[in-house]
Amino acid sequence: MKVVIIGAGVAGLSIGWRLLQAGATVTILDRAQPAHGATWAAAGMLAVTAELEGAHAAERDLALHANALWPGFASEVEQASGVPVGFVRSGALLLAPDAAALDAMRARGPVLDAAGARALVPLLADGIAGGLWAADEAHVDNRRLGEAMTIAYVKAGGALVPQTAAVRIEQKSGAAVCVLTPRHRYHADAFVIAAGAWSGLLGDIPITPVKGEMIALAPPAGAQLPGPVIWGNGVYLVPRDEGGQKLLLVGATMQEAGFDTSLSPDVRDQLRAGAQSLIPALKQWVLADHWAGLRPKSPDGLPLLGPVRSGNIFVASGQFRNGILLAPAIAQLMADMVLGKTKIIPAFDPQRFAPRFV
Ligand code: GLY
């Protein structure tokens, strides 16, 4: 079977990789560079508690399944590519500003009092009452992951065509036959749109870009990164230790602003202030970076994973805040679906929005 995937982010690359392993011939087109959209801009959190509180049961199940797949997926990608992806099962601490908030957290899982929280993160601000300890949370170096996925996919025999925007999917007798790009037509038996925030540009796929700005802080000599991921006061802090370089990532805003990824000094300062309200010593850390990315959001906030009306066009988009977390599960699910080996999960059925391609 010949498959063309539109979008070389972590979703498209990992779906392509699984399809290659199953014997398919795969080409991935990307409008820019592989793994340089949300895959690059993310913080790499596998935040199965912090992000999925109150989520639809189907999404929680998918996220828990993905979280369980992650250790094996990370080592498989590392082995295939030779690139370490920095998977760390660090746990996450969701801070409670006061005793009432801490009490409310008890229903969600084990909580730590102020002393317990400080034992994990010694530099926490005074006055924090403690927090929810989510031991299953992890993080991965999403930029290394993008690099590793690209190498693993190409080594497995996948074709990659960067700087090539898909203009239209052409259909004949009700089935898609090729993707038209400015230079070339790419013919295939099946097509997967995994273009993140850009997934809606090819047809009536209801995906809205949601901008997130982030900053990175670099520690002064001798300062340690916090061990766990930390959430509180409207920000999250993710330690990133790249061997030589240590950074603390601070995120992230949520703004519907089309495809605008401009940076705001006010947002930068707010993120920094939020981080310092949790760990005052961060005042001494140096601002090392500031960037923005676009999350793909569907109208109900759930992913779109499945075929659209023509039957051989599939969508894998709408991961919103959880694209890195969900990647291993979505890769297997979508590869199996394209190969006709598994059924759609009704909550993620793209047909709920009746997408069309004209
Ligand atoms: N999952 C983190 C974010 O979307 O900001």
Side-chain angles (χ1 to χ4, degrees):
M1 177 185 248
K2 226 169 142 181
V3 184
V4 168
I5 299 176
I6 298 160
V10 68
L13 288 165
S14 56
I15 295 165
W17 194 40
R18 290 299 186 223
L19 282 167
L20 290 166
Q21 290 169 332
T25 301
V26 186
T27 299
I28 305 185
L29 313 176
D30 196 279
R31 52 186 296 286
Q33 289 300 320
H36 270 67
T39 299
W40 180 89
M45 279 180 298
L46 312 180
V48 78
T49 304
E51 289 284 15
L52 290 145
E53 177 93 297
H56 189 289
E59 193 181 23
R60 264 195 77 75
D61 288 351
L62 189 70
L64 290 170
H65 175 53
N67 202 32
L69 291 177
W70 253 104
F73 182 72
S75 49
E76 193 188 343
V77 178
E78 286 180 343
Q79 256 173 24
S81 65
V83 177
V85 301
F87 171 79
V88 187
R89 183 75 80 195
S90 62
L93 185 58
L94 283 60
L95 294 172
D98 53 39
L102 189 64
D103 254 358
M105 283 174 165
R106 288 182 203 284
R108 296 167 61 187
V111 298
L112 301 172
D113 62 10
R118 202 155 284 113
L120 276 178
V121 185
L123 295 173
L124 274 185
D126 291 338
I128 285 170
L132 178 70
W133 174 237
D136 276 350
E137 303 233 345
H139 56 90
V140 64
D141 184 330
N142 44 292
R143 295 185 188 177
R144 291 282 158 275
L145 174 71
E147 214 177 300
M149 280 302 329
T150 306
I151 292 170
Y153 167 80
V154 171
K155 272 191 171 173
L160 194 52
V161 190
Q163 306 289 12
T164 300
V167 174
R168 195 168 61 240
I169 298 182
E170 297 189 332
Q171 304 188 52
K172 224 183 219 170
S173 316
V177 289
C178 68
V179 179
L180 177 71
T181 72
R183 296 225 189 116
H184 205 75
R185 280 185 164 77
Y186 292 86
H187 290 264
D189 307 303
F191 301 84
V192 181
I193 299 168
W198 291 267
S199 298
L201 297 183
L202 272 179
D204 255 353
I205 305 175
I207 292 292
T208 306
V210 179
K211 177 181 175 183
E213 285 188 54
M214 295 194 63
I215 59 170
L217 301 174
Q224 298 292 317
L225 287 172
V229 172
I230 300 171
W231 294 72
N233 262 352
V235 295
Y236 53 73
L237 314 179
V238 183
R240 172 74 28 93
D241 189 345
E242 293 192 359
Q245 196 186 22
K246 293 186 189 345
L247 291 172
L248 187 65
L249 312 188
V250 184
T253 53
M254 295 257 279
Q255 193 193 357
E256 290 193 14
F259 291 93
D260 170 33
T261 50
S262 61
L263 301 175
S264 148
D266 288 347
V267 166
R268 175 198 65 203
D269 295 347
Q270 282 157 21
L271 289 169
R272 189 163 186 150
Q276 285 171 196
S277 74
L278 305 178
I279 301 183
L282 294 178
K283 279 192 195 85
Q284 319 306 328
W285 293 37
V286 175
L287 179 77
D289 206 353
H290 179 195
W291 69 96
L294 301 172
R295 309 172 182 91
K297 184 176 181 297
S298 74
D300 60 9
L302 295 175
L304 275 71
L305 304 172
V308 299
R309 217 171 27 187
S310 86
N312 67 338
I313 306 176
F314 296 79
V315 181
S317 189
Q319 297 93 329
F320 192 28
R321 296 178 59 99
N322 297 301
I324 305 283
L325 165 64
L326 296 176
I330 288 181
Q332 199 58 61
L333 179 75
M334 291 307 303
D336 286 349
M337 217 183 282
V338 170
L339 297 170
K341 289 200 220 155
T342 194
K343 290 219 174 79
I344 194 159
I345 298 170
F348 307 141
D349 186 349
Q351 309 270 6
R352 69 196 189 277
F353 303 118
R356 282 181 309 117
F357 293 87
V358 284

